[in-house]
Amino acid sequence: MSTLRHEQVLIRTGARSGLPVIVAVHSTTLGQAVGGCRLWHYADWRDGLADALRLSAAMTAKCAVAGLANGGGKTVVAVPQGVELDAALRRAVLDDVADTIAALDGAYATGPDVGTTPEDMAVIGERTPHVFCKPAQHGGSGDSSPATALGTLAALRAVHRRLHGSRTLAGTRLSVVGLGSVGLRLARLLADEGAELLVSDIDTTKRAASDELGATWVSPEQALTADVDILVPAALGGVLTEEVVPRLRCAAIAGPANNQLSTEAAGDLLHRRGIVWVPDYVASAGGVVNALTIELHKGTPDEARERVEAIEHTVADLLAAAGHRHVTPAQAATELAQRRLSGAE
Ligand code: PHE
């Protein structure tokens, strides 16, 4: 799944905001491209473009492996360092995003992502119908984070069963890196199940939430390299670098953060160290699965939950296939995505 072969990439200077708006449509082979809108600071807009290219390709794989009839895309608004979005600028940039999506004429629909909320989706929805996860009162399925957290929990169960024969996570040591909207919800689900948790966030005000969960608060560096069963990356991407991987002490890695591997070589290194890595796009599919099941396929919340929980079977199958064929779970996932994209499965 080459990240260099996108169907189209639209880069505009927002007419109202003056900010770079980038929409990458990676693939519509399986259907309309979907992927969230990331509103984030970048030193250079080209870094935002690189993120959009990688994240949109990952969305294609995410949808294909999750069995959705959709392709992958992504929006990135590359906010320059030092520019703070006040209410007026935020409104302006969301209108610019909406116009850019509208110009793609249905090839791509957006949703929330890092830096955007369901309320922002309602604003975008004033100018284009191609938007998921508006709040319920605006006719959408709302916040996708609870479903993303639930899907990640399902992935963790599959990993734990593969390693230790049991799918319950009570007593299992996990390290959650990042307590954002998904990370915190996931940590709560894990704490409720009786897992032994280490947690961290660059924002130290999150420590109160950690205390509430009865988790052990550590620094991001300690969380990453802790001696745990499963490491759960739940912050921004690129945490698994060639410098970090040799220092890891976990048996497996599965988490909701997108783009976890900083390079392909870091992935090879993980494999050589015998650390099981569940591709981020497989573990994090719960949000998009939930939104599309409810909004596109008119499923009930129960049906959506069932489909999100099915991520456990998807991960179990990938781990089993990888084991049989002596390939990494990442290779097994790429091959499954390719089979689905070529219509073979
Ligand atoms: N941004 C989330 C993801 O990366 C969720 C999402 C995207 C939800 C698009 C709906 C539509 O998967």
Side-chain angles (χ1 to χ4, degrees), residues 30 34 62-71 285 288-289 292-293 297 307 340:
L30 294 178
V34 293
K62 186 183 287 196
C63 291
V65 170
L68 297 166
N70 284 88
V288 70
V289 165
L292 300 193
T293 303
H297 305 294
R307 289 209 62 173
R340 295 224 165 118

Side-chain angles (χ1 to χ4, degrees), residues 121-160:
M121 298 305 112
V123 174
I124 292 173
E126 291 173 20
R127 311 179 79 85
T128 171
H130 304 299
V131 55
F132 291 101
C133 302
K134 292 185 289 188
Q137 67 268 29
H138 292 275
S141 58
D143 188 1
S144 60
S145 332
T148 308
L150 199 64
T152 310
L153 181 68
L156 291 170
R157 290 193 193 292
V159 170
H160 192 250

Side-chain angles (χ1 to χ4, degrees), residues 26-85:
H26 179 255
S27 167
T28 58
T29 301
L30 294 178
Q32 183 181 48
V34 293
C37 172
R38 183 164 288 203
L39 195 53
W40 203 244
H41 283 96
Y42 290 90
D44 188 303
W45 68 270
R46 292 168 191 84
D47 300 332
L49 173 62
D51 243 6
L53 295 176
R54 275 195 301 266
L55 290 162
S56 59
M59 284 306 296
T60 299
K62 186 183 287 196
C63 291
V65 170
L68 297 166
N70 284 88
K74 204 86 181 186
T75 300
V76 171
V77 178
V79 183
Q81 305 288 5
V83 172
E84 285 317 315
L85 294 181

Side-chain angles (χ1 to χ4, degrees), residues 67-309:
L68 297 166
N70 284 88
K74 204 86 181 186
T75 300
V76 171
V77 178
V79 183
Q81 305 288 5
V83 172
E84 285 317 315
L85 294 181
D86 59 15
L89 186 55
R90 192 175 185 88
R91 171 83 217 191
V93 80
L94 291 172
D95 285 341
D96 289 338
V97 165
D99 283 351
T100 311
I101 291 167
L104 290 164
D105 213 16
Y108 164 80
T110 198
D113 199 83
V114 177
T116 57
T117 62
E119 287 69 33
D120 295 332
M121 298 305 112
V123 174
I124 292 173
E126 291 173 20
R127 311 179 79 85
T128 171
H130 304 299
V131 55
F132 291 101
C133 302
K134 292 185 289 188
Q137 67 268 29
H138 292 275
S141 58
D143 188 1
S144 60
S145 332
T148 308
L150 199 64
T152 310
L153 181 68
L156 291 170
R157 290 193 193 292
V159 170
H160 192 250
R161 201 177 57 176
R162 177 94 193 158
L163 294 179
H164 302 292
S166 145
R167 60 189 288 279
T168 15
L169 295 155
T172 305
R173 264 171 75 81
L174 298 109
S175 178
V176 179
V177 185
L179 292 181
S181 57
V182 177
L184 183 55
R185 279 188 169 83
L186 178 59
R188 214 167 263 142
L189 293 173
L190 290 166
D192 286 349
E193 188 153 327
E196 206 186 304
L197 288 183
L198 298 183
V199 299
S200 74
D201 198 288
I202 46 172
D203 175 0
T204 52
T205 65
K206 299 276 172 71
R207 186 171 185 154
S210 158
D211 293 345
E212 226 174 86
L213 296 175
T216 305
W217 176 264
V218 292
S219 72
E221 163 70 19
Q222 284 170 318
L224 208 53
T225 55
D227 186 0
V228 290
D229 293 304
I230 313 178
L231 173 67
V232 185
L236 287 177
V239 278
L240 303 175
T241 63
E242 288 161 65
E243 188 267 320
V244 159
V245 172
R247 296 189 287 124
L248 295 178
R249 287 184 293 159
C250 53
I253 305 172
N258 286 317
N259 277 355
Q260 290 168 20
L261 292 180
S262 77
T263 59
E264 249 176 65
D268 297 341
L269 216 52
L270 277 175
H271 180 52
R272 266 183 272 140
R273 289 213 49 210
I275 298 172
V276 175
W277 180 67
V278 176
D280 35 23
Y281 62 79
V282 179
S284 68
V288 70
V289 165
N290 179 70
L292 300 193
T293 303
I294 290 175
E295 297 190 40
L296 215 52
H297 305 294
K298 309 297 173 206
T300 63
D302 279 350
E303 283 163 347
R305 191 185 169 98
E306 236 172 74
R307 289 209 62 173
V308 170
E309 287 178 341

